[in-house]
Amino acid sequence: MKKILIADDEPQMTRVLKLYLERAGYQVESAPNGAIALACIQASAPDVLVTDIQMPLMTGKQLCLALEEEFPHRTFPIFVMTSMTDRDHREWTQKIQNLEFLEKPVSMRALIVKLDRHFAQAPAAGGDGHA
Amino acid sequence: MIAASLVAIAIVSALLYTHQVRLHSETTRIHGVALTRALSGAEYSQLVPDNDKGGLMRTLANVQADADFAYGIVVNVAGSKLYETTSAGSIAPAATMPSEPFAWFGEHRVTSPGDGRPVREFFAPVLKDGQLAGFIRAGYYDQPSGIPLDQISGFGLMALPIFLLTALSYFLIRREIRPLGQLSEKMEQASRAYGTQLSHPAENQNMGDFIHRFDQFISLVQSRVRQMDSQADSAQAATHLLNYKQGKAESALNSIPDAVLVIDDACIPTFANPKIEPVLGVNRDAIIGHAPQEWCENKEVLAFLLRFKSSPSAMRPASMEYMPADHSDRRVSVSAFPLFSPRDQNILFGMLIVFRDISKEHQNKQAGAEFVAHVAHELKTPLNTLSAYSELLLDYASLAETERVDAVNVISGEVERMAGLINNLLNISKMDTGTLPLVRTRVKLQGFLQDAFDSMTHNAIGKGVELDLQISPEIGSVRLDKDLFRIAIDNLLSNAIKYSNRGGHVTVTAQNVDDDQIRISVRDRGIGISPEDCDRIFLKYYRANNSETAARSGHGLGLYLAKQIIEMHHGSLTVQSEAGKGSEFIITFKAQPAQLEESQAL
């Protein structure tokens, strides 16, 4: 079972994501901020990271930059849920490999389709993530 | 003058001549009478000698030695010559002698038949033996034969000093008078310059005329001086007015909040107001009268200023923006306006350059753009949740009842949150346009604060923050806009909770100070605010830019809104804070308006 890590400080959002993803057959782990998400990843890398940007203690951006530094050979993709559509706020993402944006409001169905397609295309990548 | 002196000489000569003539006539009479009387008493034989050996007459005539003696004759009663003696060239005329004894002595005028000269003849009777025997006639030329040389030289001696004196005084007077002539000339010129002609032309230069002209000139000058005095008065008044106007214009320019610079067509500053110093960082004296190259360090500004020098056609309104090199967060706009002559739009005096510090506007603009991004984010976050839950409800008809209720609750909560945000936005927009009315009602402050406090308790517990409310018991009721004041209090409370760390403590106190003032304090021990940010947190859209605030959602409106609301209540909102140690927001407002209005209402 593929493991999805959700980093979001909005409990309602975490709840609904968890509900959806579990029903779609994924294992879901959640973290209320970037720092806890980083600790989870250090303990066990997920197959996909879905993160919000604005979170207390450590933001989504800080989390991504920290991952880039700590895990240079990271293989799992990062889905960033963002409402900041202007380019200034996306510049930092160019340095980060394997990163995709999910525009808010995020459609649950679209997310499931995206995840399914990702694992169908690169089943091996998901396997590496467990290492 | 010469004529006058000649006339004087002529008069003197004439007087001398007539005197001479009178003297001559007198002498002639004395001689004639003396001769005839003397001969009349003489013996007949002595008068008419027998031989031609002279005779008494010739002797006496010789003794007289009168140059004008013409002749002397002795005639008988019939008139025939008995004896005669004559001067050269003289012939005695014939004459009828009187017969009456009373006329025997006398004189009469005859004409010398020889040379036709008038002759004065004196006569006296000649007695012989007591009988009239004849007459003695003595003739003298009536006019002097000529003025004697010694008399002429006497004349000359008398006339010469007169003539010399006259000539000398003439030349002296001429010399003395020459400046007067020049003066007259000058007066003429001056009066012509004044546009007036003096009455008499300059040829006839006599003194009275001159004095008349001088009087005329003086009165002309006096009227001119009066005219000039009044002109000077009005000029002085005009100068005062001009100074006043200039002073007014300058003080207006000086009190303009923008920096103002006036450059002439050669690009040299002729005026700069004091505000120029903080904007350009250059002393005003170093600017006025100096070419921009000397004081303008910024190349863009220099190029902007110098382009007005290149040609009059370049003197058109223009503007630019630049960032001063020393302050990266400062931004200055420069606008240039051509200064036309008010009379002739084709004449350019120079350019008016206005430097405006638009840092604040620029910050506001940037903050506005950020605000839109924040608001979009704030709106999209609940929208995200709404979208997810509505999808959930749609997709999974087989949801458990608890899950369904939870989903509906989440949706309703998020809708409320969105509505609240939209209300805040509307309130701010109304406040900005001044259309938010203040509706004061009587509010019991204790209950009011308790309500606000209670509504936050749930939120605080969720964040692990302790809340503490301390309300002084003597606080009564006040009149305020309950809804607006609640927005302010809620914003302060939610900020205090938001920026507290887990396990933090928020204290709200309310008390009376200074009799009629009420002081409400909201204190946290959270992340605090840096001194620079303390000045800016009340600005619209401003959010401190650091990782701590980035981690907390906010739209930069709460404190702005709170401050506006409290100021609408004639109160003040201030902050005391230290980074890392927490912040205290203090509301101070007058309790008195409420009491006043209450007493009025009663």
Side-chain angles (χ1 to χ4, degrees):
Chain A
M1 197 186 267
K2 303 294 182 190
K3 187 171 83 178
I4 315 289
L5 175 62
I6 300 165
D8 198 333
D9 61 333
E10 299 273 339
Q12 300 101 319
M13 204 57 211
T14 316
R15 238 172 25 239
V16 75
L17 276 169
K18 202 168 178 175
L19 213 114
Y20 253 98
L21 293 174
E22 279 175 355
R23 290 195 175 220
Y26 295 104
Q27 185 197 336
V28 179
E29 212 177 328
S30 70
N33 60 46
I36 293 170
L38 188 61
C40 291
I41 294 164
Q42 280 161 345
S44 150
D47 292 301
V48 167
L49 168 64
V50 178
T51 180
D52 192 10
I53 296 277
Q54 278 205 2
M55 288 183 289
L57 288 179
M58 187 186 258
T59 64
K61 176 183 169 183
Q62 288 168 325
L63 173 63
C64 291
L65 294 173
L67 285 175
E68 198 64 15
E69 203 162 295
E70 281 193 42
F71 302 92
H73 305 297
R74 168 180 61 83
T75 50
F76 60 86
I78 302 172
F79 291 158
V80 178
M81 297 189 288
T82 177
S83 56
M84 297 175 188
T85 49
D86 59 316
R87 290 186 176 211
D88 287 358
H89 292 280
R90 287 190 180 183
E91 252 171 40
W92 60 272
T93 61
Q94 290 180 352
K95 294 181 224 158
I96 293 160
Q97 300 287 312
N98 219 349
L99 184 141
E100 238 181 285
F101 283 101
L102 300 172
E103 286 292 340
K104 283 186 184 180
V106 180
S107 161
M108 293 299 117
R109 285 174 233 166
L111 177 61
I112 304 293
V113 169
K114 209 167 216 160
L115 287 171
D116 286 348
R117 196 183 296 147
H118 168 71
F119 290 119
Q121 277 172 355
D128 284 353
H130 288 287
Chain B
M1 197 64 199
I2 293 277
S5 79
L6 289 177
V7 164
I9 290 171
I11 289 168
V12 169
S13 305
L15 285 171
L16 279 171
Y17 180 75
T18 50
H19 172 73
Q20 198 64 37
V21 166
R22 201 182 303 126
L23 201 70
H24 176 259
S25 148
E26 195 63 23
T27 312
T28 306
R29 198 178 68 86
I30 290 167
H31 283 181
V33 169
L35 185 67
T36 50
R37 294 283 165 94
L39 289 176
S40 173
E43 288 292 322
Y44 183 82
S45 58
Q46 284 176 304
L47 288 173
V48 186
D50 298 330
N51 54 12
D52 200 25
K53 275 188 187 170
L56 190 61
M57 180 178 272
R58 183 173 299 174
T59 311
L60 285 178
N62 284 342
V63 167
Q64 275 190 343
D66 192 326
D68 291 323
F69 179 78
Y71 56 88
I73 52 172
V74 179
V75 290
N76 60 15
V77 178
S80 333
K81 270 181 217 171
L82 300 175
Y83 177 82
E84 74 173 343
T85 176
T86 58
S87 66
S90 176
I91 299 163
T96 315
M97 299 316 292
S99 51
E100 300 301 316
F102 68 85
W104 287 349
F105 291 94
E107 68 165 277
H108 57 201
R109 287 174 194 274
V110 291
T111 306
S112 167
D115 47 14
R117 290 171 65 185
V119 171
R120 246 171 118 186
E121 192 183 80
F122 300 87
F123 52 89
V126 174
L127 297 175
K128 189 181 174 185
D129 305 324
Q131 293 295 311
L132 180 70
F135 289 95
I136 300 158
R137 293 168 58 196
Y140 293 84
Y141 289 120
D142 197 19
Q143 281 169 353
S145 56
I147 293 169
L149 196 66
D150 59 330
Q151 284 182 348
I152 289 174
S153 64
F155 276 1
L157 280 172
M158 281 175 77
L160 189 67
I162 294 174
F163 183 77
L164 284 177
L165 269 173
T166 310
L168 184 68
S169 56
Y170 174 74
F171 283 111
L172 279 175
I173 290 168
R174 268 300 286 265
R175 208 183 67 177
E176 291 305 308
I177 264 178
R178 190 179 297 130
L180 286 181
Q182 288 169 349
L183 183 65
S184 174
E185 195 69 24
K186 286 270 155 62
M187 285 178 351
E188 198 70 34
Q189 284 175 1
S191 46
R192 265 204 299 276
Y194 291 164
T196 318
Q197 192 79 34
L198 291 180
S199 63
H200 297 286
E203 303 111 46
N204 193 3
Q205 286 193 357
N206 76 52
M207 209 60 189
D209 204 23
F210 175 80
I211 288 167
H212 177 73
R213 281 154 60 77
F214 191 74
D215 278 349
Q216 231 188 333
F217 181 74
I218 291 290
S219 62
L220 177 66
V221 168
Q222 276 175 341
S223 76
R224 190 74 187 171
V225 165
R226 272 196 298 276
Q227 201 181 340
M228 277 165 81
D229 272 350
S230 73
Q231 276 175 356
D233 283 347
S234 56
Q236 203 176 17
T239 309
H240 280 312
L241 190 68
L242 211 65
N243 281 345
Y244 172 72
K245 278 184 176 169
Q246 191 183 356
K248 216 167 72 167
E250 280 198 9
S251 74
L253 283 175
N254 285 341
S255 55
I256 285 176
D258 300 328
V260 176
L261 182 71
V262 177
I263 55 172
D264 62 14
D265 50 0
C267 217
I268 307 296
T270 55
F271 174 83
N273 75 354
K275 303 290 190 310
I276 202 94
E277 294 181 8
V279 172
L280 291 180
V282 184
N283 199 308
R284 204 144 67 108
D285 298 333
I287 295 176
I288 297 171
H290 298 278
Q293 290 92 327
E294 293 174 41
W295 48 264
C296 185
E297 287 170 359
N298 189 299
K299 287 206 174 74
E300 292 171 70
V301 179
L302 189 60
F304 181 79
L305 291 177
L306 289 180
R307 73 190 230 197
F308 300 118
K309 196 181 175 181
S310 54
S311 76
S313 60
M315 295 174 98
R316 275 178 284 136
S319 62
M320 63 165 286
E321 274 185 33
Y322 75 99
M323 287 194 283
D326 49 336
H327 299 96
S328 56
D329 59 339
R330 263 185 67 201
R331 202 165 259 263
V332 177
S333 85
V334 190
S335 309
F337 309 96
L339 294 174
F340 292 108
S341 160
R343 295 219 178 82
D344 188 350
Q345 290 287 303
N346 293 321
I347 296 173
L348 269 172
F349 290 143
M351 300 293 291
L352 177 78
I353 316 282
V354 179
F355 293 83
R356 175 175 289 175
D357 192 326
I358 53 159
S359 308
K360 218 167 233 177
E361 286 93 325
H362 187 71
Q363 274 172 16
N364 280 351
K365 217 194 272 178
Q366 274 192 325
E370 277 168 31
F371 170 73
V372 171
H374 278 298
V375 167
H377 178 260
E378 288 294 306
L379 286 171
K380 274 190 176 180
T381 304
L383 203 59
N384 202 22
T385 320
L386 284 174
S387 156
Y389 278 88
S390 51
E391 266 186 297
L392 181 73
L393 288 175
L394 273 173
D395 286 354
Y396 298 103
S398 60
L399 277 177
E401 189 56 26
T402 50
E403 283 172 329
R404 187 181 293 276
V405 169
D406 180 47
V408 173
N409 273 339
V410 167
I411 288 170
S412 121
E414 291 302 304
V415 166
E416 211 167 287
R417 180 171 154 187
M418 277 184 91
L421 177 62
I422 288 164
N423 272 345
N424 254 2
L425 285 171
L426 284 174
N427 281 337
I428 283 196
S429 130
K430 278 185 194 166
M431 207 169 283
D432 282 353
T433 52
T435 52
L436 189 67
L438 193 70
V439 187
R440 285 186 194 254
T441 52
R442 195 174 150 187
V443 175
K444 280 206 164 101
L445 203 56
Q446 178 148 17
F448 173 78
L449 286 175
Q450 191 71 54
D451 274 354
F453 189 81
D454 289 346
S455 71
M456 286 290 161
T457 318
H458 182 72
N459 183 6
I461 289 167
K463 302 246 170 161
V465 175
E466 264 185 66
L467 285 182
D468 186 14
L469 179 65
Q470 298 165 1
I471 301 178
S472 169
E474 71 263 26
I475 281 189
S477 52
V478 288
R479 281 177 70 89
L480 43 78
D481 189 313
K482 207 159 72 174
D483 296 333
L484 286 181
F485 213 81
R486 177 67 183 267
I487 292 171
I489 296 287
D490 280 355
N491 272 316
L492 291 180
L493 268 176
S494 66
N495 271 353
I497 294 164
K498 196 195 287 178
Y499 296 109
S500 282
N501 298 314
R502 184 158 283 274
H505 202 95
V506 173
T507 312
V508 179
T509 58
Q511 65 198 89
N512 281 326
V513 286
D514 299 341
D515 297 336
D516 61 339
Q517 299 273 329
I518 289 174
R519 183 180 186 273
I520 301 171
S521 146
V522 178
R523 190 154 58 87
D524 67 65
R525 290 166 198 162
I527 60 171
I529 304 160
S530 70
E532 311 88 70
D533 282 339
C534 276
D535 299 334
R536 293 183 284 196
I537 49 169
F538 294 114
L539 295 179
K540 196 174 166 186
Y541 313 139
Y542 185 79
R543 291 196 77 211
N545 191 11
N546 58 47
S547 60
E548 294 284 0
T549 50
R552 291 160 163 91
S553 71
H555 39 65
L557 286 178
L559 285 175
Y560 171 75
L561 194 56
K563 192 174 172 74
Q564 297 295 313
I565 288 167
I566 285 154
E567 282 174 0
M568 280 171 82
H569 286 86
H570 305 290
S572 69
L573 175 61
T574 56
V575 65
Q576 290 177 344
S577 183
E578 203 180 319
K581 293 202 171 167
S583 318
E584 183 175 17
F585 285 86
I586 299 152
I587 301 170
T588 314
F589 65 100
K590 265 195 172 160
Q592 204 181 1
Q595 290 161 358
L596 255 174
E597 281 170 42
E598 269 174 0
S599 67
Q600 280 167 352
L602 287 169

